[in-house]
Amino acid sequence: MPPDRCLQTRALTLIERLRQRLVAPDFWSRHRRRERDFTRECVLTFPVLMLLLLQKSLKSLQTHVQAFLDQLAVGTARPSLSGGGALTHARAKLRASAFTELNASAVLATVYGPEHAALVQRWQGHRLLGVDSSLLRLPSHAAVGQAFGWVQCANHHGPQERYPQGRVSVLYDLLNEVALEGRLVASTVAETELAHQHLAAVQPGDVLLNDRGYTGYRWLVAVRAVQAHFVSRASRGSFAAVQRLFARNEAEVSEVVTLRAPKELEAECRERGWPLELTVRLVTVRLTSGELEVLVTSLLDESAYPTAEFGPLYWGRWGQETYYGRLKGRLDLEHCSGRTVAAVEQDFHATVLLSNVESVVSGPAQAQLRARTAGRAQPAQVNRAVSLHALKYRLLELLTSRVPAAQVLAELTTWFQANPVSVRPGRKVVRRAFSPSRSYHYQRRVRKIVF
């Protein structure tokens, strides 16, 4: 079967699973705050509210709600809300865990399920996972600040305004472009602590690509404890063996060394059953800028994992950065649709779910574009700005049963291939120094919103 047909079958499986879960009474009961919630006849029922939050818009809340209800009531009398606070009251009954369960039971179960296992992209038999965190500016509300913490602004006149700030951390499949798990916590929580929590979702044999903040002994030994592997970029102030390689300043070097647990970690290692010594491989990579990087990995076999492959392998970690770019840029994660803690959590987990759905549903279009432009010097790929907007625009038809799933998917596949972008292998863009005025101009006049 052609790749696009296989991906089409997988996308249809996901759509049907989402449709079934959204209207399942047992699913409602697990994710409402009280037993009596969502039992009365009302406009914003459980599935309607879920769809409305998934279709988060940058329009005014009232405009978005009314447009959503108009689309929902095509061919029938449009229902009206009793008041402007109806959405606020309805979403207070909903737990954000509804979106995380949909991600696990529908998206991940479809992507990694046995019926579609052949479509899962791997590197030498391994899933490539990234773990990183990012800070979010949250709505200025007392309850949000109390839950996530405040950041105090100051200048030469002294303290000025303050705002709440949270930290998000995502375990991300870099090749298949799906988030396995996302967490939103106070900004004071260390990103490495969140990474340790993500290890519960890691499978034996996975390879985790990490930046310089994740090369401590505690992280490396914890990854090996779950039988996974790591490729982490080391800082110049890292282990003594790493410092020697930086001083040597020679590329394509591969050394196997033994790291010793710091004294302050020995008690924890004994308590958890972790070894006090860990054998790792150090690989040096020369960047195009001339700078030397040292990678720490548990992939010790040089014949199976040649030294020359680690540069391109680690470059794949950039997919984690572009993923946060989509969440915070294209999907405007920091533009929350409510000012409560519940609204902030719902928006985050709904955005992660929507991004995953887009990755799966756009698969057939991506395969068709790849096949059609394979002979070009610059192959084409789906424009994520187009696909995300199209997905939100057709979300009601996609996840409700009034239109056949195959019909909606076929129409979306055609739409996704409009205005593709070119893949430019080896393209390097010089990073310019940050300019507040240039950033303001881009945010105010250049950047295009998705929906």
Side-chain angles (χ1 to χ4, degrees), residues 45-65:
T45 61
F46 185 95
V48 170
L49 178 62
M50 289 284 292
L51 292 173
L52 178 60
L53 296 180
L54 277 172
Q55 200 197 41
K56 192 188 83 168
S57 173
L58 298 187
K59 304 172 186 175
S60 71
L61 199 58
Q62 191 66 28
T63 300
H64 176 223
V65 171

Side-chain angles (χ1 to χ4, degrees), residues 103-327:
N103 189 51
S105 65
V107 180
L108 301 184
T110 300
V111 172
Y112 300 115
E115 64 272 24
H116 304 295
L119 296 175
V120 177
Q121 298 185 55
R122 301 178 185 271
W123 176 80
Q124 297 201 16
H126 304 280
R127 289 193 307 178
L128 293 184
L129 307 182
V131 180
D132 204 355
S133 76
S134 183
L135 296 174
L136 289 182
R137 181 164 179 162
L138 302 175
S140 293
H141 191 273
V144 177
Q146 184 177 1
F148 295 101
W150 296 91
V151 171
Q152 181 67 60
C153 301
N155 57 20
H156 62 284
H157 293 298
Q160 302 297 314
E161 68 170 11
R162 61 176 186 167
Y163 60 88
Q165 182 173 259
R167 181 184 297 278
V168 298
S169 181
V170 176
L171 177 65
Y172 187 66
D173 188 326
L174 297 162
L175 296 180
N176 299 286
E177 298 186 321
V178 292
L180 277 65
E181 188 181 67
R183 295 178 181 270
L184 171 62
V185 297
S187 59
T188 53
V189 178
E191 62 181 3
T192 50
E193 291 302 318
L194 290 172
H196 279 270
Q197 297 174 25
H198 287 310
L199 290 178
V202 172
Q203 298 176 359
D206 289 343
V207 175
L208 284 88
L209 305 184
N210 302 115
D211 207 358
R212 285 177 289 196
Y214 303 85
T215 50
Y217 185 90
R218 184 171 182 265
W219 167 251
L220 302 182
V221 75
V223 173
R224 293 302 294 135
V226 297
Q227 302 178 48
H229 294 280
F230 53 80
V231 178
S232 298
R233 183 165 64 127
S235 65
R236 290 185 174 271
S238 185
F239 306 102
V242 172
Q243 295 180 38
R244 287 194 296 270
L245 286 178
F246 273 117
R248 185 174 166 182
N249 196 25
E250 182 180 342
E252 303 294 327
V253 174
S254 176
E255 291 185 359
V256 175
V257 301
T258 299
L259 305 179
R260 172 76 187 180
K263 291 184 178 180
E264 60 270 19
L265 283 180
E266 289 182 358
E268 182 181 359
C269 288
R270 292 191 181 95
E271 180 182 351
R272 294 178 178 267
W274 294 342
L276 297 179
E277 291 185 344
L278 184 65
T279 301
V280 302
R281 180 180 171 195
L282 304 180
V283 176
T284 60
V285 176
R286 181 76 66 186
L287 305 181
T288 55
S289 62
E291 183 181 359
L292 186 77
E293 295 290 357
V294 178
L295 303 178
V296 184
T297 180
S298 57
L299 301 172
L300 305 180
D301 189 348
E302 189 164 359
S303 60
Y305 308 103
T307 300
E309 291 190 8
F310 279 88
L313 170 64
Y314 187 76
W315 182 85
R317 199 202 71 82
W318 186 248
Q320 181 102 39
E321 305 296 339
T322 57
Y323 173 71
Y324 279 129
R326 287 199 300 277
L327 292 190

